[in-house]
Amino acid sequence: MSIPDVTELTLEEKASLTSGASFWYTKPIERAGVPAIMVTDGPHGLRKQREGGDHLGLGDSVPATCFPPAVGLGSSWDVDLIHRVGEALGTETSIENVAVLLGPGINIKRSPLCGRNFEYLSEDPIVSGVLGAAIVRGIQSKGVGTSLKHFAANNQENDRMRASSDVDPRPLREIYLRGFQRVVEDAQPWTVMCSYNRINGVYASEDPWLLTQVLRDEWGYEGLVVSDWGAVNERVPGLAAGMDLEMPSSGGVTDAQIVAAVKDGSLDESVVDVAAGRVLDLVRKASEGAGSVAGPLDVDAHHALAREAGGRSIVLLKNEGGVLPLARDARVAVIGEFAASPRYQGAGSSMINPTRLDNALDEIRALATGDVSYAQGFSNALQVSDDDATALRAEAVAAAEAAEVAVVFLGLPARLESEGYDREDIDLPAAQLELLDAVLDANPNTVVVLSNGGVVALPFAGRVPAILEAWLLGQAGGGATADVLFGEVNPSGKLTETIPVRLEDTPAYLDFPGEFSHVRYGEGLFVGYRWYDARRMDVAFPFGHGLSYTSFAYGDAAAQVDADGDVEVTVAVTNTGPVAGREVVQVYTSLEGSQVQRAPRELKAFASVALQPGETQTVTLTVRRQDLAYWDIRADRWVVEGGSYTVSVGASSRDIRSSVEVAIEGDAVTLPLTRTSSLGEVLRHPVAGPIVQAMIAQAMGGMADSAASIMPEGVDMSKMMESFPIGRIGMMAGLAGDGAGASPEMIDGLIAMANAGGVPAQA
């Protein structure tokens, strides 16, 4: 199909392309042969409204494979696996003739209270960026598009339509935008979805700095910016800022506003041309990719992939005494409502109508050869009488007493986690904790399996011998859980977010969710493990943690800088245990004595490696030079600080196995001098430094006697003067009492000469 050029359309037609025709479709222009295309929700499955269904498609979407949501899938840390899941998502999207799947979501998990954390990958931008790019590449390999969301600094649901994320430049760049930058530069998603919120007071949907300067001019983004559904505040300023497509339909209201703005001269028609051209480009890509995958869907194959992904998403937090894996012939008591009625996805726009649904109880019984009993243990109903709760608990205790091992399924009821509102705490329901205490009293040989979209407090961690963090695992999560419990799958998941001891310990505790539509990101750079490590705080389980049924030994790490300035890190990893397993190798960097504030260590690269018993592989990981950079607020750009970096390789952020030093050449940063520049800054300047050094020596000589009379012995005057503004150096003349110092004219001449690169200002 031939899609016309924007020059062939009228002003009214061009304006019409910048908003939707309905809830899920773009506008067609029949005269010009421009078809409508469909976009619809993801991100862990296709949520396509049936013909004649409700306008949202929440209750009546076509069956699709529900893969593990990002909270689970991210814990695999496996780029290849996630790419394969992306390919499967792209296949289902193409078969259903949908042009764009709205995902992935890669917002940072700033607080565990965010109600939508189940849709996001990590508290770390490198994890979010690398894995997000893998999803995008996988989906788009099938001729359909993605929508990278929610751009940007969208880290809570409370007041999400208007709250301002008030965040300083360094954390904004280094934490909240860095993952988006990685996905854009590495994978070029067809669309980027701007978020509802404001950023430092400006709506994301009408922020030219965000949507044009950063996204397009700096990162080289080539696609289209679409609004989150209902995120448009003022359409004409939004269009000028770079927000191309408003969704859903405005009923033509905002199209008319655009036309009127052009006609009255307040909006240049070229702005409309650019946005409409991007919509035409999207339609063109969709038309070229249409029919790339022929149906019907192989439901069994995709369910098997969902089961594989679910097994790889589970994190073995603890396994004292080798309780796991379970023996096939063991007498097992399965306890907890989640075992029979699985919690497998979060609520809201990402809810998938699964093609089938496993539950853990049936799958455990399918693998076991011994007796498997079941007790509900608790009810997720809103109202449960004391008598009913007591009876359920008593039944569970009896089952645990009669079993060799109890497997207790605990978690968060679906009503506690959803798009649209945040959680109030990180606690499991009291009835579940009471049940667990009773079961442990009856049978200490107990395994806890968690079903939750956001982290929960684990006050029982010291008492329970084995804990599986099973997150939300999609439609095949029941089978995946059974596979891990019995050792059919060796757990290899690792935490992409820290599990704190208490909510009060979390970085954003005092600044979440804000007040009066403003939320101050007061923790700055110190999000997640950066916060806990900097404060040397105890955590329940650290970022990057995850155990296995085997063990891994690390050799000595080596690191060298390649021709591109990237750091190539190598380390030998050996499977020293009895079974095949997979280890996630993590690389962290730090810089002692940095001139800027930094976390004690920061993740910069990772790799998932599969090893047979006794096998050794040399793992090579690349730390990109650009990922070593910090955002210099003076120069307003990325800067790599030179120095001797410590490169650490480990199994978690707090399980470092080997470290090596590597010298990194820094970027030159020469800032213009002014009268307010400190003496320290001036002394480091290649031109001004030597001149001022001589001036200071003369002035300090005259001050020596008077200083000695008022300063204790050993006081370092040079340190005192380090922050003294150069424009006030003339004060030294009075202190010296001999005319030493510099006149304002001398200072201005020195500054002019230094800023001219050493050429006298009059030359």
Side-chain angles (χ1 to χ4, degrees):
M1 178 181 295
S2 177
I3 306 299
D5 186 77
V6 70
T7 58
E8 302 174 46
L9 305 180
T10 67
L11 171 60
E12 288 73 15
E13 288 171 336
K14 290 182 292 190
S16 75
L17 289 176
T18 66
S19 67
S22 60
F23 211 81
W24 301 116
Y25 284 90
T26 63
K27 282 197 186 79
I29 301 177
E30 295 181 4
R31 178 197 68 79
V34 179
I37 60 172
M38 185 180 194
V39 302
T40 197
D41 280 323
H44 56 272
L46 178 68
R47 193 177 69 79
K48 179 186 178 183
Q49 175 189 6
R50 287 183 189 270
E51 291 294 330
D54 66 277
H55 77 287
L56 290 174
L58 289 174
D60 193 21
S61 57
V62 300
T65 308
C66 181
F67 290 96
V71 64
L73 196 60
S75 295
S76 73
W77 296 63
D78 193 308
V79 171
D80 293 336
L81 173 68
I82 289 174
H83 187 274
R84 286 196 287 129
V85 170
E87 289 178 321
L89 290 168
T91 293
E92 298 195 23
T93 303
S94 180
I95 288 174
E96 288 293 338
N97 198 31
V98 171
V100 177
L101 186 70
L102 301 176
I106 66 163
N107 295 97
I108 292 295
K109 299 184 182 188
R110 175 178 178 246
S111 168
L113 295 179
C114 176
R116 211 167 180 178
N117 272 355
F118 57 83
E119 284 191 46
Y120 303 141
L121 290 161
S122 181
E123 68 188 22
D124 181 84
I126 299 298
V127 175
S128 298
V130 171
L131 300 186
I135 297 171
V136 169
R137 285 192 297 262
I139 294 172
Q140 294 189 171
S141 71
K142 300 301 179 180
V144 296
T146 57
S147 195
L148 184 66
K149 63 183 190 180
H150 304 91
F151 190 59
N154 178 199
N155 309 105
Q156 64 187 57
E157 293 298 285
N158 181 74
D159 202 18
R160 65 175 178 161
M161 303 293 284
R162 58 180 185 168
S164 176
S165 300
D166 297 337
V167 53
D168 293 337
R170 275 197 69 196
L172 181 58
R173 290 284 192 161
E174 295 181 33
I175 303 295
Y176 298 102
L177 295 183
R178 196 168 217 153
F180 285 97
Q181 181 175 359
R182 182 68 166 254
V183 178
V184 166
E185 292 180 345
D186 284 11
Q188 282 291 341
W190 286 11
T191 74
V192 168
M193 182 188 294
C194 72
S195 52
Y196 291 119
N197 57 292
R198 294 177 292 152
I199 301 170
N200 294 323
V202 181
Y203 279 101
S205 64
E206 53 191 54
D207 189 345
W209 174 83
L210 181 73
L211 302 182
T212 297
Q213 180 181 325
V214 172
L215 180 61
R216 298 189 183 281
D217 298 343
E218 294 183 22
W219 299 353
Y221 180 57
E222 300 169 356
L224 172 147
V225 174
V226 60
S227 72
D228 202 343
W229 269 232
V232 169
N233 178 52
E234 295 288 346
R235 185 65 186 111
V236 173
L239 191 74
M243 207 285 288
D244 306 302
L245 175 61
E246 174 187 10
M247 291 297 288
S249 171
S250 70
V253 172
T254 57
D255 301 348
Q257 292 172 355
I258 292 169
V259 171
V262 172
K263 289 183 176 179
D264 70 18
S266 59
L267 180 70
D268 196 291
E269 188 170 353
S270 64
V271 174
V272 186
D273 292 347
V274 169
R278 289 170 182 158
V279 176
L280 291 174
D281 286 342
L282 178 65
V283 173
R284 191 174 293 112
K285 288 178 184 176
S287 300
E288 291 170 353
S292 297
V293 181
L297 172 66
D298 189 337
V299 173
D300 291 340
H302 281 209
H303 186 78
L305 177 58
R307 182 165 180 159
E308 178 189 355
R312 296 274 295 282
S313 299
I314 294 173
V315 182
L316 178 60
L317 295 178
K318 184 178 179 182
N319 192 25
E320 286 186 356
V323 174
L324 294 175
L326 302 175
R328 290 290 191 97
D329 59 357
R331 296 192 315 279
V332 178
V334 176
I335 297 169
E337 185 173 357
F338 292 115
S341 301
R343 172 97 199 286
Y344 61 98
Q345 62 178 331
S349 63
S350 67
M351 287 184 66
I352 308 302
N353 179 16
T355 57
R356 66 180 65 165
L357 182 60
D358 293 347
N359 70 70
L361 177 60
D362 290 346
E363 298 300 327
I364 288 170
R365 284 174 168 162
L367 290 179
T369 60
D371 179 64
V372 176
S373 62
Y374 171 67
Q376 181 179 336
F378 60 86
S379 172
N380 282 321
L382 277 172
Q383 299 293 330
V384 181
S385 70
D386 290 343
D387 289 345
D388 287 345
T390 300
L392 288 171
R393 192 158 53 245
E395 179 190 18
V397 167
E401 287 175 335
E404 294 176 72
V405 60
V407 180
V408 183
F409 285 76
L410 307 177
L412 296 175
R415 63 180 177 273
L416 295 183
E417 294 184 295
S418 173
E419 175 183 356
Y421 55 87
D422 295 319
R423 295 160 64 191
E424 296 180 359
D425 55 52
I426 59 170
D427 300 324
L428 289 168
Q432 295 185 28
L433 296 176
E434 292 170 6
L435 167 70
L436 180 59
D437 284 341
V439 169
L440 284 167
D441 289 341
N443 188 343
N445 200 34
T446 293
V447 178
V448 168
V449 179
L450 297 168
S451 298
N452 49 298
V455 297
V456 294
L458 304 174
F460 50 81
R463 191 179 177 197
V464 176
I467 305 173
L468 287 180
E469 177 53 270
W471 304 118
L472 306 179
L473 296 178
Q475 68 180 53
T481 302
D483 288 340
V484 169
L485 287 170
F486 285 106
E488 290 295 298
V489 170
N490 188 352
S492 59
K494 302 264 190 175
L495 295 175
T496 61
E497 57 189 305
T498 307
I499 301 180
V501 176
R502 310 177 307 155
L503 176 62
E504 291 84 351
D505 296 338
T506 58
Y509 177 68
L510 295 177
D511 290 302
F512 186 98
E515 55 194 24
F516 305 126
S517 297
H518 281 270
V519 52
R520 175 67 184 156
Y521 283 46
E523 68 282 0
L525 295 166
F526 296 93
V527 178
Y529 67 92
R530 292 167 168 82
W531 167 268
Y532 301 106
D533 289 352
R535 294 174 61 86
R536 300 182 181 179
M537 295 177 68
D538 290 335
V539 298
F541 294 98
F543 176 85
H545 170 76
L547 304 177
S548 171
Y549 296 151
T550 190
S551 55
F552 300 96
Y554 286 62
D556 293 332
Q560 63 179 12
V561 180
D562 67 16
D564 295 324
D566 298 335
V567 181
E568 296 293 334
V569 183
T570 56
V571 64
V573 181
T574 303
N575 182 344
T576 55
V579 296
R582 183 179 289 273
E583 175 70 334
V584 176
V585 182
Q586 302 158 45
V587 174
Y588 297 84
T589 65
S590 57
L591 179 60
E592 188 72 23
S594 174
Q595 66 179 343
V596 295
Q597 189 180 58
R598 295 177 185 260
R601 67 189 62 85
E602 296 180 310
L603 182 84
K604 297 301 178 186
F606 57 89
S608 177
V609 56
L611 297 168
Q612 294 297 315
E615 182 184 1
T616 299
Q617 283 191 31
T618 297
V619 183
T620 300
L621 307 97
T622 300
V623 176
R624 296 184 180 184
R625 178 177 173 84
Q626 67 193 68
D627 290 333
L628 294 174
Y630 71 92
W631 186 259
D632 192 321
I633 61 173
R634 305 165 305 166
D636 203 31
R637 65 178 176 89
W638 291 105
V639 171
V640 175
E641 184 179 3
S644 180
Y645 283 70
T646 300
V647 178
S648 300
V649 178
S652 84
S653 61
R654 294 194 174 182
D655 184 7
I656 301 302
R657 303 294 182 88
S658 179
S659 296
V660 63
E661 298 292 317
V662 61
I664 302 294
E665 183 178 346
D667 294 332
V669 181
T670 302
L671 301 172
L673 295 182
T674 69
R675 282 192 170 203
T676 60
S677 298
S678 71
L679 282 178
E681 292 167 341
V682 174
L683 288 170
R684 289 188 288 271
H685 193 280
V687 176
I691 299 172
V692 174
Q693 182 67 53
M695 294 169 59
I696 290 176
Q698 181 182 4
M700 293 296 287
M703 293 173 60
D705 293 339
S706 58
S709 66
I710 60 174
M711 293 294 180
E713 184 179 358
V715 170
D716 189 340
M717 290 291 291
S718 65
K719 287 186 177 179
M720 292 182 61
M721 300 302 296
E722 174 80 12
S723 60
F724 201 93
I726 183 66
R728 301 179 194 175
I729 199 171
M731 293 172 58
M732 294 181 182
L735 290 173
D738 61 358
S743 67
E745 292 77 17
M746 291 175 61
I747 295 297
D748 289 341
L750 174 69
I751 290 171
M753 183 173 65
N755 291 338
V759 180
Q762 301 302 318

